[in-house]
Amino acid sequence: MLLGLRQAAGAQEIYAGRYKAVFTSVPRKVPTSKTPDGPLAGNGDIGLTLGGNPDKLRFYLGKNDFWRAYPVYPGGGIALPGWLEIDIPALAGAGYYAEQIQDKAEIAARFTKGNLAVSVKTWVSATTNTVVVELGANEACSMQFALKAAEGNTSVNAEGNDAGTHWVTRSFENTPLLAWPSHVAMAVKVIGTKPESGGSVTLTPNSKVTLAVTIYSNHDAKNWKQKAITEAKTMTPATITRLQKDHQGWWAKYWGRSSVQIGDPFLEKYYYASQYLFGATSRAGKFAPGIWGPFITKDSAAWGGDYHLNYNYQAPYWAAYSSNHIDETDNFDKPLLDYMESGKRHAKELLGINGIYYPVGIGPMGLVTTRWPLTADEMEKRYASRENTIDGGLKFLGQKINAVFSVGNMLMRFYSTYDAAYARRVYPYMRECANFWEDYLKFENGRYVIYMDHYNEVMPNLKNKGQWRQLLGDFNSTLSVGLVKMLFKGMIDVSGFLNADQDRREKWEHIVKHMSQFTVREVDGKLSLKGVETSPSPIHSGVEGLARVSIHGLVLPGGVCGPVTDSAFNQVLLSDVGRWKDKMKGPGEWANTLGNGIETCFPAVVRVGYDSDEVMKQLTDRINRQSLPNLWITAEGGGIETLAAVPLTINEMMMQSYEGVIRIFPNWNRRKNARFDHLRAYGAFLVSSGLQEGKIGSVKMLSEAGRPCRIENPWPGHSVQLLRNGKKAEHLSGKVFSFETSRGERLELISH
């Protein structure tokens, strides 16, 4: 029998502990400008990537807040603070074995050569700015260690020693166009032995040597350098013991927030690995992660490691809402809010309208990361055009929708929590998006239409030889129509919740009601979606059927289509998904997600009702086709966005709520046992249930916000007993139940 998450007498089973990543060879993609393949650990701010050979180990240390705040990449973007080197000459040619232990959030390695065996355990403290490396050996051997700050790219470096604690710093400051300075300090102390001159240590049997590395930036503290040095100097064995206890406690709470069990060890492994990597990547109160999270192993990461706003920045968070990891999404909004004044200026200066208009890429603290090259010569070299003043010198790439993309995440969190403080925080941003689109939309022939907002990025490049303007002119892109409809539906809901802008709701309701319909055409006797209504671009006008970009507007994050919203149109989408197999040339190519879109396409087709067994098969093939030993599923065009793919796909099979109705096992083979605990539904409900031998057990819910509940009858044709706080209450019947709830009320549905 499948067991759920157990909490009794202080004991807790962490189901994620059944799975770990295993490495039997040296990482090959460390360092890299994209996704590393080595063992990973992190605390949502600091990321540790283990690279190197057994005799020359390299612990690369990235940090979400260490940026070269320069508006052009390469050169600008997130930067590498540095690394810890550990050289053990006796391990030259040794065997390599390491584990990424995800429930404990640590890396455990063992390197063997002949009779010599050296063990290494490392973890990034979940509660402090500390990285711990513990080493032991069964035979005496020498070890050399050094802490290094990355150099170059206009950085200024320094190093020193303070009473046996070695420290290094790296700074970006006082260079042209730098938006703000960044400084980082790292300090290391050896615990368990006294190092010899030059950082030499002897490992001996039955003893342990610990290296504690503290890392602080000027965004952490004004006294960033001294803080790193002081904390390292005062490290003791007792300090490490306390940090480890706090670390394990944090991760135990993280895993306790939700769980799923589906009887498929392969997909469960990637489910929990993705949850682990996201927990290691993002944290409340810290800078939001860029494309590669904190797992930075060199400067000039691809796309500057920035916040790419036409889905890459938003996608990593999508599974966190239903997985009940709300705290880890709390850093999402700040970069968007910080850029608002610039966004208003772009809208006025470039389009002559109100609201906010965002380029394709931004960074933290109001930074723009996507300026065209600063010289015409460099522009020509990279883009086959000397015109580096397009759109005021910034990359909008023909898309007006970038700011609205993020409203999807804001609405996911709002509907999932009904948190008034959060709604007040993001409402000004949403309202500025509404201001923009009220001005930009055209009302023609009884409908609102969208000109010149493009299905894909349109820009000069080496292929079109500067003739890119011939591709401009998309009319009613599915992406634009869907996201704008999402925006105004959300404005109605959030403004009503906050009792704000009552005088504007009539206009917003008119837009939602009269927004252009999605364009369809007949293909092989069946209706099929078109990517755009019309376009001069053969690429855009030739997009037929449901695809990743359309899904963004319609289903995820758009949420304006589905089996409840419009069952007839939903059948069009299902028919399109049925054609995906026809386009495959080999395993793993279903939905065309090798480049981008695994986190979009797979959960979306679950939402619209495509066969769950087929989705799981195709998802397994896709993972096998393109993933790394650290269980990070890779895509050519992005990094941490893929961490949402498996969790959200499975969560949507277990429970759905995005159309305002909670559905239990809405798209799951009822012959397969499964269980989920504490998944978060819209309406701020935490929901748990199980399926055993074809029968759904009781459905338990906690109402966090006291919202009305609408839930599809999990037992069609049967009446249901509702229990409130353990006591019998209403009898319910029908296809969909609706009942009021109270804040903090525990509810249970039991079939008669």
Side-chain angles (χ1 to χ4, degrees):
M1 180 176 179
L2 289 170
L3 298 175
L5 196 69
R6 294 186 289 108
Q7 290 182 308
Q12 174 175 293
E13 174 196 354
I14 300 177
Y15 194 78
R18 303 184 181 200
Y19 301 106
K20 59 189 176 184
V22 175
F23 305 78
T24 57
S25 60
V26 173
R28 298 179 179 180
K29 297 182 178 180
V30 181
T32 178
S33 63
K34 289 189 175 182
T35 306
D37 63 346
L40 304 173
N43 66 1
D45 175 31
I46 297 167
L48 183 154
T49 305
L50 180 58
N53 297 306
D55 60 323
K56 294 182 180 295
L57 295 172
R58 299 294 181 264
F59 299 76
Y60 290 89
L61 302 173
K63 204 166 187 299
N64 278 338
D65 65 3
F66 187 61
W67 287 62
R68 182 172 184 252
Y70 186 72
V72 184
Y73 57 76
I78 197 165
L80 173 66
W83 60 90
L84 175 68
E85 297 181 354
I86 295 181
D87 293 347
I88 306 175
L91 288 178
Y96 190 101
Y97 181 85
E99 295 179 347
Q100 182 177 285
I101 303 173
Q102 290 153 173
D103 61 322
K104 297 179 181 178
E106 64 185 36
I107 299 166
R110 185 176 176 84
F111 309 114
T112 56
K113 182 179 180 183
N115 293 326
L116 175 64
V118 175
S119 63
V120 179
K121 185 172 79 171
T122 182
W123 42 280
V124 181
S125 168
T127 57
T128 65
N129 289 35
T130 307
V131 175
V132 178
V133 182
E134 302 171 355
L135 301 103
N138 66 336
E139 295 181 354
C141 63
S142 63
M143 177 192 91
Q144 194 87 12
F145 75 92
L147 188 62
K148 301 284 188 178
E151 298 180 353
N153 199 18
T154 75
S155 72
V156 177
N157 296 66
E159 63 179 314
N161 193 289
D162 188 331
T165 296
H166 184 66
W167 58 266
V168 297
T169 64
R170 189 181 193 202
S171 298
F172 295 106
E173 57 183 343
N174 301 326
T175 56
L177 296 181
L178 203 67
W180 29 265
S182 277
H183 309 282
V184 68
M186 301 187 293
V188 60
K189 181 180 180 181
V190 180
I191 303 169
T193 188
K194 185 176 180 179
E196 302 166 19
S197 61
S200 181
V201 172
T202 299
L203 300 178
T204 58
N206 304 315
S207 66
K208 181 173 67 175
V209 172
T210 300
L211 279 69
V213 181
T214 54
I215 311 173
Y216 280 93
S217 76
N218 60 313
H219 307 297
D220 292 316
K222 291 183 179 179
N223 60 334
W224 49 277
K225 177 182 171 182
Q226 192 57 48
K227 192 171 180 63
I229 295 171
T230 300
E231 287 196 7
K233 284 174 61 177
T234 56
M235 286 285 172
T236 65
T239 308
I240 299 297
T241 299
R242 176 179 56 79
L243 290 181
Q244 187 162 30
K245 182 180 178 180
D246 293 345
H247 172 78
Q248 292 171 348
W250 190 95
W251 279 97
K253 289 180 180 178
Y254 179 83
W255 293 119
R257 291 192 186 117
S258 67
S259 71
V260 304
Q261 299 170 40
I262 59 173
D264 183 324
F266 181 84
L267 288 180
E268 280 188 354
K269 178 172 68 173
Y270 281 89
Y271 182 98
Y272 286 105
S274 295
Q275 300 279 33
Y276 164 71
L277 292 171
F278 182 73
T281 292
S282 183
R283 195 65 47 89
K286 302 296 184 180
F287 276 37
I291 294 175
W292 315 108
F295 303 109
I296 301 301
T297 55
K298 63 188 299 186
D299 280 359
S300 292
W303 297 285
D306 73 356
Y307 306 151
H308 247 54
L309 298 182
N310 53 0
Y311 100 89
N312 307 81
Y313 177 59
Q314 298 85 353
Y317 296 89
W318 287 344
Y321 304 106
S322 58
S323 296
N324 195 27
H325 293 304
I326 298 299
D327 285 352
E328 284 64 53
T329 71
D330 197 59
N331 54 24
F332 173 79
D333 311 292
K334 192 173 189 307
L336 303 161
L337 302 180
D338 287 347
Y339 200 79
M340 283 181 64
E341 290 307 312
S342 293
K344 291 177 185 177
R345 187 171 64 252
H346 298 331
K348 280 291 185 186
E349 293 178 356
L350 300 176
L351 300 175
I353 61 177
N354 293 309
I356 52 176
Y357 178 36
Y358 281 23
V360 69
I362 64 172
M365 299 174 61
L367 175 69
V368 62
T369 59
T370 45
R371 281 188 62 168
W372 294 105
L374 301 180
T375 68
D377 288 345
E378 180 65 17
M379 181 76 183
E380 185 173 36
K381 177 181 176 182
R382 292 172 56 188
Y383 297 104
S385 169
R386 297 187 64 80
E387 189 180 0
N388 65 340
T389 57
I390 302 164
D391 292 328
L394 303 181
K395 294 179 182 176
F396 290 88
L397 308 187
Q399 297 186 317
K400 310 294 189 302
I401 205 68
N402 289 320
V404 177
F405 239 116
S406 294
V407 172
N409 289 45
M410 295 172 179
L411 291 174
M412 287 182 196
R413 178 167 173 177
F414 169 72
Y415 292 134
S416 297
T417 63
Y418 279 87
D419 180 338
Y422 178 74
R424 286 191 291 269
R425 183 204 305 177
V426 298
Y427 187 71
Y429 180 94
M430 295 176 58
R431 183 168 51 201
E432 291 299 337
C433 287
N435 291 342
F436 179 95
W437 284 96
E438 282 188 60
D439 281 3
Y440 193 78
L441 288 170
K442 305 295 183 186
F443 190 63
E444 298 176 353
N445 301 317
R447 64 173 183 159
Y448 289 93
V449 298
I450 301 175
Y451 290 91
M452 294 292 287
D453 190 18
H454 293 83
Y455 183 85
N456 285 321
E457 298 171 352
V458 181
M459 58 188 288
N461 57 50
L462 298 177
K463 290 183 179 180
N464 61 43
K465 303 298 182 183
Q467 303 302 309
W468 60 282
R469 281 191 172 83
Q470 299 175 10
L471 306 176
L472 293 171
D474 282 7
F475 175 69
N476 277 350
S477 157
T478 51
L479 173 68
S480 313
V481 171
L483 290 181
V484 170
K485 188 171 184 179
M486 172 202 74
L487 166 67
F488 286 105
K489 287 180 69 176
M491 291 304 301
I492 295 165
D493 292 339
V494 180
S495 67
F497 179 73
L498 295 176
N499 195 25
D501 292 321
Q502 296 184 39
D503 57 327
R504 299 183 64 177
R505 287 184 216 161
E506 183 178 352
K507 172 70 171 180
W508 297 339
E509 289 168 353
H510 191 266
I511 291 173
V512 171
K513 184 177 180 180
H514 295 90
M515 199 70 207
S516 290
Q517 298 296 308
F518 300 111
T519 306
V520 297
R521 59 172 292 181
E522 191 172 295
V523 176
D524 298 329
K526 293 183 179 180
L527 291 179
S528 178
L529 185 71
K530 283 193 66 179
V532 294
E533 189 167 330
T534 62
S535 173
S537 167
I539 298 174
H540 296 184
S541 61
V543 175
E544 295 180 351
L546 186 65
R548 172 178 61 90
V549 177
S550 297
I551 286 172
H552 288 150
L554 276 62
V555 183
L556 183 68
V560 296
C561 297
V564 173
T565 306
D566 186 338
S567 59
F569 184 66
N570 196 70
Q571 288 300 314
V572 175
L573 305 184
L574 279 172
S575 178
D576 280 342
V577 176
R579 297 188 183 95
W580 284 359
K581 275 190 173 182
D582 299 337
K583 301 176 182 179
M584 293 175 60
K585 296 180 180 179
E589 296 186 8
W590 194 70
N592 190 30
T593 65
L594 295 177
N596 296 104
I598 184 174
E599 71 297 314
T600 302
C601 295
F602 282 89
V605 300
V606 173
R607 282 189 175 188
V608 300
Y610 197 72
D611 180 74
S612 62
D613 286 345
E614 182 64 20
V615 174
M616 292 174 72
K617 175 188 179 300
Q618 297 293 349
L619 183 56
T620 299
D621 286 348
R622 168 62 177 82
I623 294 169
N624 280 325
R625 175 75 178 266
Q626 202 166 280
S627 61
L628 298 175
N630 54 29
L631 306 182
W632 192 326
I633 305 164
T634 55
E636 292 302 318
I640 63 172
E641 66 206 49
T642 65
L643 304 183
V646 178
L648 187 55
T649 298
I650 300 303
N651 289 357
E652 293 290 330
M653 291 177 177
M654 301 291 100
M655 183 201 70
Q656 293 175 17
S657 62
Y658 78 106
E659 292 180 294
V661 180
I662 298 172
R663 306 195 257 314
I664 307 299
F665 295 107
N667 190 354
W668 184 253
N669 184 339
R670 297 295 177 90
R671 295 187 299 274
K672 295 181 176 180
N673 295 342
R675 172 160 197 88
F676 65 90
D677 288 89
H678 302 146
L679 292 186
R680 180 174 287 273
Y682 282 7
F685 297 99
L686 295 181
V687 186
S688 304
S689 188
L691 178 67
Q692 189 77 24
E693 297 178 355
K695 296 181 180 179
I696 296 177
S698 68
V699 177
K700 296 181 179 180
M701 296 189 291
L702 170 66
S703 175
E704 282 192 342
R707 299 286 302 175
C709 179
R710 295 188 71 221
I711 181 169
E712 193 174 272
N713 189 343
W715 307 277
H718 292 260
S719 61
V720 172
Q721 174 70 61
L722 174 63
L723 277 64
R724 296 180 181 270
N725 294 322
K727 297 181 180 180
K728 289 184 178 180
E730 300 97 311
H731 288 278
L732 306 172
S733 61
K735 184 176 180 181
V736 178
F737 308 144
S738 298
F739 49 88
E740 298 296 317
T741 74
S742 301
R743 186 181 298 270
E745 188 174 27
R746 296 188 177 275
L747 307 152
E748 185 172 5
L749 299 174
I750 301 175
S751 173
H752 283 307

